């Protein structure tokens, strides 16, 4: 498809949902975001939301064009036709670089190896390949794909991943907090009621159901507080397209900000608690995503705490402390400096 | 026009150019911006640009709806039909609260007195009524209009204006820097060449043409640098509508960021120099807008200097110093805290 063809006909769905068609043909420097999520994980939706804000706020002179995950193959064809020498190709960040979410990893390999001659960034990730035959095989495939691209930078969001990436790939590595922490949203002043449990129901889950039941019962009986259980992955819809991203993200923030306390094993439930100034107790997942983000960046927050403690009596003291804290702020702006400098060059 | 009518027919041009029609009828809390400029003053365009970024970044759960200046009367009628109790009515900031730009001041009076029962904000202004019979008469009209609204807050951007507003109006007063200083744009790395003179050609002008000619000649002869003269008010077009705002603002930033030095009597040429890290010498206007913003907020910047000095030999030392400075940063984030808190309530 030539530039002229693109000008003359409608683009396929999911190619540049955030721009008008002129964006593909003007003479601005372009930043392409591949892998823009259409699935219902609000954490990943919030990451893409924050990536767009970051580019649009700091580099309004660039054209920022998203390609939805379901349009990756068509998107690659179109971008190949219009890309210029100094454009930048990105793949969205998150916690899916590895062998647990292979459909996404396969798309990332494809994008990175196709655009091997262009400045390429994988936004900040937690990287995890299982130490199994299967995990090793997929790691090898990822190495082979990424190493074709000598202009690749791999973003990492915990020290653990930073070290792993340095050991595993020949690419440049960048280290910043999770993108959602770059947002600067004022928390709404909402009535708060009850304790919201936000818990995984996926392959990363390690918190036992028995413990969760005991904890909920204890909160209701001993603390006299209503409890509810939910997840940051929505199950009542199949797709969140670009145009619904902000509303769904706001709905989740609203729900968390209306709670007195969050109990979670989800990294982004913790981050949404930070944004909404909601006290939060965080448990781990299978490979330490939330734990390491907490330890590396967030330990100074007085209303958020990571724990592996499963003794309810000992948890009580922590929960009482979190509920009484006057939520403090931390300033991570300087920690995003590597990313800001990256896009200037 | 009822909500249903608004849903069913196209809105007049200039009403909500920044939103889709659903924005008028959804159940979000709304912030209306009146006076969104269509005239070619890039300073005022940048203010409206920054106001939108501010609301969208910090309060993405609100609906932010602009009404262009040329659609004020129709906009008032439509907003009257759809406004809800806790919505917020704003008028854009700048340097036109007073008797020098009466068409704008008349619109502001109209908006403030019409929406007298709603939370109302005039974004940060420099206020200036001439001390003449005409100035006094207009000041009285403005007082009468504003005082109808007991929910009005008047934003001010210099101490001088803050004191003046306290003495002149019974309204609440807020004090922050100019809105454009709330942006966080990464400067592009551009080739720099020559000295750009950005000078008023309006009723606020006090810098003498003879001095300007001498200074330009001196820069060319003694410093061996090319000079050009321009203004932040464009004269090669009549209108900048919402959709062209960002591009025109970026074009101006690009031009300033491609210069080695800016010489100006324009507040926003100084502010654009700060954004693009371009050394800048600032002279005054008729009522001290640039001077007071500089003194109140910006004196710590090592590459920007305000002066009343007109002796070229003495200016030389200053210019040499500015050209050699490694541009520093100042963080005004906390100075916008009153505005952030204002929109939370």
């Amino acid at each position: 498809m030539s530039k002229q063809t693109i000008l003359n006909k409608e683009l396929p769905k999911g190619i540049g949902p955030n721009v008008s068609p002129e964006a593909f043909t003007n003479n601005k420097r372009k930043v392409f975001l591949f892998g823009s999520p259409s699935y219902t994980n609000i954490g990943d939706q919030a990451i893409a939301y924050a990536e767009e804000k970051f580019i649009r706020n700091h580099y309004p002179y660039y054209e920022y064009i998203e390609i939805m995950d379901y349009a990756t193959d068509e998107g690659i064809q179109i971008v190949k036709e219009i890309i210029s020498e100094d454009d930048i190709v990105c793949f969205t960040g998150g916690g899916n670089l590895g062998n647990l979410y292979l459909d996404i990893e396969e798309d990332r390999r494809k994008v990175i190896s196709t655009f091997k001659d262009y400045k390429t960034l994988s936004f900040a990730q937690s990287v995890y390949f299982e130490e199994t035959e299967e995990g090793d095989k997929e790691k090898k495939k990822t190495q082979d794909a990424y190493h074709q691209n000598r202009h690749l930078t791999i973003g990492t969001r915990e020290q653990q991943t930073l070290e792993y990436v340095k050991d595993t790939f020949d690419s440049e590595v960048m280290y910043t907090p999770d993108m959602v922490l770059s947002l600067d949203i004022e928390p709404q002043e909402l009535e708060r009621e009850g304790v919201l449990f936000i818990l995984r129901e996926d392959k990363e889950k390690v918190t036992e159901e028995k413990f969760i039941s005991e904890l909920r019962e204890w909160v209701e009986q001993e603390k006299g507080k209503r409890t509810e259980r939910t997840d940051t992955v929505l199950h009542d819809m199949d797709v969140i397209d670009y145009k619904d991203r902000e509303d769904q993200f706001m709905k989740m923030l609203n729900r968390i900000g209306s709670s007195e306390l969050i109990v979670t094993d989800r990294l982004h439930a913790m981050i949404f608690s930070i944004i909404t100034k909601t006290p939060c107790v965080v448990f781990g997942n299978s490979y330490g995503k939330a734990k390491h983000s907490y330890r590396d960046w967030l330990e100074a927050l007085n209303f958020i705490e990571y724990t592996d403690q499963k003794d309810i009596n000992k948890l009580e003291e922590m929960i009482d402390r979190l509920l009484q804290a006057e939520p403090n702020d931390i300033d991570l702006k300087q920690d995003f400096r590597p990313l800001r400098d990256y896009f200037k060059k």
Side-chain angles (χ1 to χ4, degrees), chain A:
Chain A
M1 215 180 296
S2 72
K3 282 204 184 192
Q4 202 48 51
T5 323
I6 288 165
L7 258 181
N8 290 339
K9 65 184 214 180
E10 217 176 309
L11 287 158
K13 184 168 158 56
I15 314 279
N18 64 323
V19 291
S20 59
E22 299 84 75
F24 287 82
T25 51
N26 65 25
N27 58 10
K28 292 185 190 174
R29 187 180 190 188
K30 292 176 184 53
V31 177
F32 298 101
L33 181 82
F34 280 92
S36 184
S38 67
Y39 49 96
T40 63
N41 180 324
I42 305 296
D44 289 355
Q45 291 287 344
I47 287 173
Y49 180 84
E51 287 161 353
E52 183 175 26
K53 286 275 182 195
F54 192 90
I55 302 296
R56 290 200 188 276
N57 284 336
H58 302 317
Y59 317 90
Y61 39 83
Y62 292 167
E63 196 67 75
Y64 181 72
I65 301 178
E66 299 197 17
I67 315 292
M68 299 301 291
D69 49 9
Y70 57 77
T72 302
D73 290 333
E74 286 162 298
I76 286 175
Q77 291 314 315
I78 290 174
V79 172
K80 272 166 82 173
E81 295 296 334
I82 62 161
I83 194 167
S84 297
E85 199 181 359
D86 69 343
D87 291 347
I88 305 177
V89 174
C90 303
F91 202 96
T92 192
N96 48 41
L97 204 171
N99 70 312
L100 291 190
Y101 303 92
L102 266 185
D103 51 340
I104 299 178
E105 181 52 23
E106 281 166 3
D107 281 350
R108 185 163 21 233
R109 289 173 191 155
K110 221 184 289 180
V111 169
I112 289 173
S113 59
T114 301
F115 296 103
K116 63 188 172 58
D117 297 324
Y118 299 89
K119 190 172 161 107
T120 309
L121 173 70
S122 170
F123 270 106
Q125 278 280 346
S126 304
V127 176
Y128 181 63
F129 289 93
E130 288 171 302
E131 291 184 357
T132 59
E133 203 176 317
E134 176 67 14
D136 285 346
K137 199 184 78 193
E138 295 301 334
K139 180 161 79 176
K140 178 75 176 53
K141 282 190 199 166
T142 290
Q143 287 170 322
D144 289 346
Y146 291 13
H147 289 163
Q148 291 177 48
N149 186 325
R150 290 173 52 215
H151 307 278
L152 172 64
T153 298
I154 302 175
T156 64
R157 58 184 187 179
E158 315 97 13
Q159 280 289 341
Q160 165 179 275
T161 293
L162 174 66
E163 296 310 321
Y164 185 89
V165 169
K166 279 185 187 165
D167 291 345
T168 310
F169 300 100
D170 299 336
S171 313
E172 289 289 318
V173 192
M174 188 193 296
Y175 177 54
T176 65
D178 181 84
M179 280 308 289
V180 181
L181 291 163
S182 71
L183 294 172
D184 191 6
I185 296 173
E186 268 305 324
Q188 281 188 280
E189 287 173 7
L190 301 166
E191 290 284 323
R192 294 183 186 269
E193 202 210 327
V195 177
L196 187 60
F197 287 69
I198 303 181
L199 295 161
R200 297 183 167 276
E201 298 179 21
D202 65 7
K203 46 196 158 190
E204 297 179 34
K205 172 185 166 73
V206 292
T207 320
E208 280 178 23
E209 280 304 320
K210 186 163 165 291
F211 168 70
I212 295 166
S213 303
E214 281 170 20
L215 191 58
R216 280 188 72 170
E217 204 179 301
W218 174 82
V219 167
E220 295 194 349
Q221 302 296 321
E222 301 298 317
K223 293 291 181 183
K225 293 195 187 298
R226 193 173 52 76
T227 72
E228 269 193 274
R229 176 168 174 170
T230 187
D231 193 359
T232 50
V233 173
L234 308 185
H235 296 295
D236 55 350
M237 58 181 77
D238 297 325
V239 170
I240 299 178
D241 222 324
Y242 176 83
K243 70 175 172 28
D244 300 315
R245 180 173 291 160
E246 183 172 84
D247 279 353
Q248 291 298 333
F249 175 28
M250 291 304 124
K251 235 167 118 177
M252 183 61 70
L253 285 188
N254 195 295
R255 185 150 190 211
I256 289 176
S258 306
S259 305
E260 293 170 73
L261 176 73
I262 302 298
V263 177
T264 192
D265 57 2
R266 282 275 185 197
L267 168 63
H268 284 97
M270 170 175 78
I271 292 176
F272 299 163
S273 299
I274 296 170
I275 292 175
T276 58
K277 303 257 186 239
T278 309
C280 177
V281 179
V282 191
F283 298 106
N285 76 326
S286 60
Y287 60 96
K289 253 187 326 202
K291 172 172 159 178
H292 287 281
S293 264
Y294 179 78
R295 295 268 162 85
D296 292 342
W297 307 106
L298 306 170
E299 232 165 9
L301 289 165
N302 63 5
F303 61 108
I304 309 285
E305 197 136 356
Y306 178 85
T307 183
D308 290 314
Q309 182 61 256
K310 297 286 155 72
D311 177 335
I312 289 178
N313 291 321
K314 292 189 179 153
L315 281 172
E316 179 165 22
E317 192 199 345
M318 178 189 295
I319 287 174
D320 286 343
R321 183 157 31 86
L322 296 178
L323 285 172
Q324 279 157 32
E326 179 62 44
N328 62 346
D329 281 316
I330 51 171
D331 186 353
L332 297 172
K333 189 172 163 186
Q334 282 312 313
D335 298 309
F336 287 100
R337 182 40 63 190
L339 192 63
R340 291 184 63 150
D341 291 340
Y342 176 85
F343 282 102
K344 284 175 73 170
K345 304 250 169 62

